[in-house]
Structures are given as C-alpha cells and as structure tokens.
Amino acid sequence: MPNTPIADTPSPPYYAAIFPSQLNEENTADYGDTAARMMKLAAAQPGFLGVETARTNELGLTVSYWESREAIAAWKANAEHQAAQTRGRAEWYADYRLRVTKVEREVAP
Amino acid sequence: MPNTPIADTPSPPYYAAIFPSQLNEENTADYGDTAARMMKLAAAQPGFLGVETARTNELGLTVSYWESREAIAAWKANAEHQAAQTRGRAEWYADYRLRVTKVEREVAP
C-alpha cells in the first residue's frame, strides 16, 4: 500500500471508517495491488477527506475520512470496490472489522 | 510497541480515539518503552474496551476503544499519561492528531 502522511481533515463533525484487518498466510498475491488501487479509487470518491494506513505483520489498520455517512455508503457500494470486498472476504482476510464513526472532536499540536 | 490483534469490541455505540502520529528523526530513544507502558496503563483504565496499533516508518496509527467520552477524558487526565503527553509534544512527535469519535456501526465477517 502507498505511504500516507497524517490526513489533513477539516473541523469536526465528519466521519471516519476504521478498518483493522488480518491477512491470511497464503493467497495474498494480488492483495497489495488491489489495496493500492482501492486507495486511489477512494480518493476520487465524492466526500472523501483523507486516509491513513499502516501495517505490521500482525495487523493492518486503515482509517478513511468522509464528509458524511452517505459518502461512506456510496464508497461501499462502488462496483469495483464491491468486487474487491468479495475477493477480500473469500481470499485475503483472516479477519477484519469495519467501524463507522462520527468524529466529534479533533486535537492537533 | 506490542503487537495487537483486532480488538474485540462490543455492539455500538461506543467511542474510539484515533491517534495518527509521525515521529521525529532524532530524540526518540525512550519512545518505544513509553509507548508500550502507555498501552499497558490504558488497558487498566476504567471503560477501556481495546486497542489496535500499527506503525510504518512514515506513520503510526493507534486506535483505542472506550465505553464513553468520559472514559477517554479520564485517560487523557491520567498523571503518568499526562507526563508522557508532555514528552511526546516536546521530544518525540513531529506531528499528530487526536480524533475523538463515536462508533455508530460495526461490520464483522
């Protein structure tokens, strides 16, 4: 996946999709390319505000930021993303969660 | 920092503190030990539900989960945590954000 800096989000309220995942030990050949493609596709969606992602061997953690719940729902429903989600469930992920949250407060240095 | 699996969170609503950070290139000698100690201390706080963390060279991403906004505020006010926050701002972090969010919906496989 591409390196990402800290997302330059606006003043709250806005929305965050928290996506922790654990990969299977095998069958992850296409995963990296698809994940990079999804990052690019998400960034082109209406209402996208930014994304942060990091991965260790044990855990991947991606948080994407959105203007509204509707923008998250539209991204979930995107056809190419739907195909990637289907492959993710069937082939790549040993486990994951998707948590949809409302950002109420933000503190910066 | 210790490895963390996916957090075993309850049914929403609950709260998440999203903490992306970028470390300075120098002066980070004590950072790892302090971060590990903070993970342990957070886990002993009232209202703590779990934590997920991953770090690349570019970005650290830690999400902690809590029963209430008050539990997050109490953790922020913890004396040993306050001392670590002060060192973090002065020595370790080139940049960070703290985003307090309400988890409205969760999807699992």
Side-chain angles (χ1 to χ4, degrees):
Chain A
M1 260 183 282
N3 297 327
T4 58
I6 293 176
D8 186 21
T9 43
S11 295
Y14 56 91
Y15 295 82
I18 303 171
F19 182 62
S21 63
Q22 294 180 293
L23 293 175
N24 288 320
E25 292 182 14
E26 296 177 7
N27 289 328
T28 57
D30 296 345
Y31 171 75
D33 285 351
T34 305
R37 167 72 185 150
M38 289 305 115
M39 295 275 282
K40 221 169 163 173
L41 199 59
Q45 285 283 305
F48 175 86
L49 297 175
V51 64
E52 292 155 353
T53 191
R55 176 170 286 285
T56 62
N57 286 335
E58 294 74 24
L59 183 75
L61 199 46
T62 297
V63 185
S64 57
Y65 300 101
W66 302 87
E67 279 176 9
S68 64
R69 295 180 189 93
E70 292 70 28
I72 295 176
W75 166 232
K76 189 183 176 185
N78 172 282
E80 191 176 339
H81 187 204
Q82 284 273 347
Q85 290 170 57
T86 299
R87 288 199 66 193
R89 281 191 296 266
E91 297 173 46
W92 297 322
Y93 293 122
D95 199 7
Y96 67 84
R97 298 288 183 284
L98 179 69
R99 301 186 177 103
V100 177
T101 81
K102 180 178 185 178
V103 180
E104 299 182 329
R105 214 156 54 76
E106 175 171 320
V107 179
Chain B
M1 260 183 283
N3 296 327
T4 58
I6 292 176
D8 185 22
T9 42
S11 294
Y14 56 93
Y15 295 83
I18 304 172
F19 182 63
S21 64
Q22 294 180 293
L23 292 176
N24 288 320
E25 291 183 15
E26 297 178 6
N27 289 328
T28 58
D30 296 345
Y31 171 74
D33 285 351
T34 305
R37 167 72 185 151
M38 289 305 115
M39 296 275 281
K40 221 169 163 174
L41 199 59
Q45 285 282 305
F48 175 86
L49 297 175
V51 64
E52 292 156 352
T53 190
R55 176 170 284 285
T56 62
N57 286 336
E58 293 75 24
L59 183 76
L61 199 46
T62 297
V63 185
S64 57
Y65 300 101
W66 302 87
E67 279 175 10
S68 65
R69 295 178 188 93
E70 292 70 26
I72 295 176
W75 166 232
K76 189 183 176 185
N78 173 283
E80 192 176 339
H81 187 204
Q82 284 273 347
Q85 290 171 58
T86 299
R87 288 199 66 192
R89 282 189 296 266
E91 298 174 45
W92 297 321
Y93 294 122
D95 199 7
Y96 67 83
R97 296 290 182 283
L98 179 69
R99 300 185 178 103
V100 176
T101 81
K102 180 177 185 178
V103 180
E104 299 181 331
R105 215 156 51 79
E106 175 169 321
V107 178

